[in-house]
């Protein structure tokens, strides 16, 4: 068990009472730990109960995350994927109509846009039952013009895990972005190599995030090995014959692993 995961379980345990109060905000455990290192004192602590999070590839850039409390989240939601059952939370980005919808189902409780319709950055900090959701804004290329803060990387903190979705990322990240993101145990990465950003740039970001699990998405016709080769020998490759996986703090792979779900 790595020191990161031990301290993650400690924070998860300490913050468990917050989960009873939906819609409240709380400090980010993933961000707090990232900022604290290396000036933390590691303790010997058993991980929290090993609650599992389910992650299902629905299509394009949409993954459906289901938390131990049954909260369902659909990422980069356009209404084409991840609609059944109706998710409680959806996140969107506006690069293309395949990443958002202007007419979401009214039954969806929380519709989180990655951009501010009124201009400027948008900030999400939301607790829904057992999952804390926040975002880090990035710029977006709209018709050849870079729009500041027009895209968001969404981060989902649940069951001691830090899960990130890079959205429709158009540029390399700066140190300030990495600091704001914090630790990611699982990261969803667009690997089209063109509409978002180059495979060299995307693999550089994925390597620096040092996540235990990397989930490709937004692939189009790009050969998967064009991405995986760039990641290098430090990453294992795991092809699955299912669209879903379950993960917990205690079952993260020992070596960083690119997991390719069915349909990707």
């Amino acid at each position: 068990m790595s020191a990161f995961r031990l301290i993650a379980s400690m924070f998860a345990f300490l913050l468990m009472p917050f989960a009873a109060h939906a819609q409240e905000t709380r400090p980010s455990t993933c961000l707090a730990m990232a900022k604290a290192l290396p000036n933390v004192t590691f303790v010997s602590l058993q991980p929290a109960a090993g609650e599992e999070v389910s992650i299902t590839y629905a299509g394009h850039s949409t993954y459906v995350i289901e938390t131990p409390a049954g909260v369902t989240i659909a990422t980069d939601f356009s209404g084409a994927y991840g609609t059944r059952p109706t998710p409680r939370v959806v996140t969107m980005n506006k690069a293309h109509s395949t990443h958002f919808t202007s007419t979401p189902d009214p039954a969806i409780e929380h519709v989180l846009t990655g951009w501010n319709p009124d201009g400027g950055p948008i900030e999400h900090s939301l607790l829904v039952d057992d999952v804390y959701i926040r975002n880090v804004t990035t710029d977006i290329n709209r018709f050849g013009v870079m729009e500041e803060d027009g895209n968001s990387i969404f981060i989902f903190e649940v069951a001691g895990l830090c899960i990130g979705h890079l959205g429709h990322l158009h540029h390399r990240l700066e140190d300030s972005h990495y600091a704001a993101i914090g630790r990611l145990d699982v990261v969803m990465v667009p690997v089209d190599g063109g509409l978002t950003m180059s495979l060299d740039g995307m693999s550089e970001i994925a390597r620096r995030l040092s996540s235990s699990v990397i989930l490709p998405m937004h692939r189009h016709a790009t050969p998967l090995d064009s991405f995986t080769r760039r990641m290098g020998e430090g990453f294992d490759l795991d092809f699955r014959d299912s669209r879903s996986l379950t993960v917990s703090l205690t079952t993260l792979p020992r070596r960083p692993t690119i997991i390719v779900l069915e349909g990707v």
Side-chain angles (χ1 to χ4, degrees):
M1 177 60 59
S2 71
F4 274 127
R5 295 172 197 169
L6 287 173
I7 198 167
S9 64
M10 176 181 70
F11 273 93
F13 173 79
L14 292 174
L15 289 167
M16 281 175 63
F18 287 92
H21 306 287
Q23 313 317 313
E24 293 181 7
T25 60
R26 75 179 190 193
S28 163
T29 61
C30 307
L31 182 57
M33 284 181 287
K35 285 188 173 181
L37 291 171
N39 300 313
V40 296
T41 301
F42 296 110
V43 296
S44 177
L45 184 67
Q46 291 298 315
E51 292 180 313
E52 291 186 327
V53 177
S54 171
I55 302 175
T56 300
Y57 181 67
H60 202 55
S61 289
T62 302
Y63 277 94
V64 176
I65 302 167
E66 184 173 356
T67 77
V71 178
T72 51
I73 305 159
T75 63
D76 270 21
F77 181 80
S78 67
Y81 308 102
T83 60
R84 294 292 180 269
T86 303
R88 285 187 63 187
V89 183
V90 300
T91 64
M92 299 181 188
N93 277 304
K94 66 175 181 177
H96 307 288
S97 60
T98 49
H99 296 260
F100 75 96
T101 174
S102 57
T103 57
D105 185 339
I108 299 170
E109 293 180 38
H110 305 283
V111 177
L112 308 180
T113 60
W115 69 96
N116 185 347
D118 297 323
I122 190 166
E123 180 178 355
H124 295 292
S125 179
L126 180 68
L127 185 64
V128 183
D129 292 355
D130 61 341
V131 58
Y132 174 57
I133 306 169
R134 61 186 176 89
N135 71 308
V136 175
T137 59
T138 63
D139 302 339
I140 193 170
N141 189 333
R142 296 278 287 173
F143 310 109
V145 177
M146 292 302 290
E147 179 183 332
E148 190 173 357
D149 297 313
N151 182 73
S152 282
I153 295 169
F154 281 94
I155 298 142
F156 313 95
E157 305 187 17
V158 57
L161 293 166
C162 307
I163 302 171
H165 185 284
L166 295 186
H168 207 279
L169 188 58
H170 283 172
H171 59 82
R172 281 178 162 85
L173 299 179
E174 299 177 358
D175 289 346
S176 58
H177 291 112
Y178 289 106
I181 292 167
R183 188 187 98 252
L184 292 182
D185 301 299
V186 179
V187 63
M188 302 162 190
V189 180
V191 296
D192 59 279
L195 290 174
T196 51
M197 61 182 295
S198 72
L199 290 174
D200 287 337
M202 198 62 73
S203 60
E204 173 191 301
I205 290 168
R207 287 194 302 271
R208 179 163 173 180
L209 287 170
S210 300
S211 302
S212 295
V213 174
I214 297 171
L215 297 173
M217 61 178 184
H218 202 264
R219 184 170 74 90
H220 301 300
T222 305
L224 276 166
D225 67 352
S226 295
F227 172 71
T228 58
R229 280 188 289 102
R230 285 171 167 83
M231 292 300 294
E233 296 180 355
F235 292 79
D236 289 342
L237 185 57
D238 181 1
F239 285 88
R240 301 287 180 93
D241 58 4
S242 170
R243 299 184 80 94
S244 299
L245 65 84
T246 56
V247 64
S248 71
L249 195 64
T250 57
T251 61
L252 289 170
R254 289 183 175 272
R255 278 172 52 88
T257 303
I258 302 166
I259 298 180
V260 182
L261 297 178
E262 183 184 5
V264 172

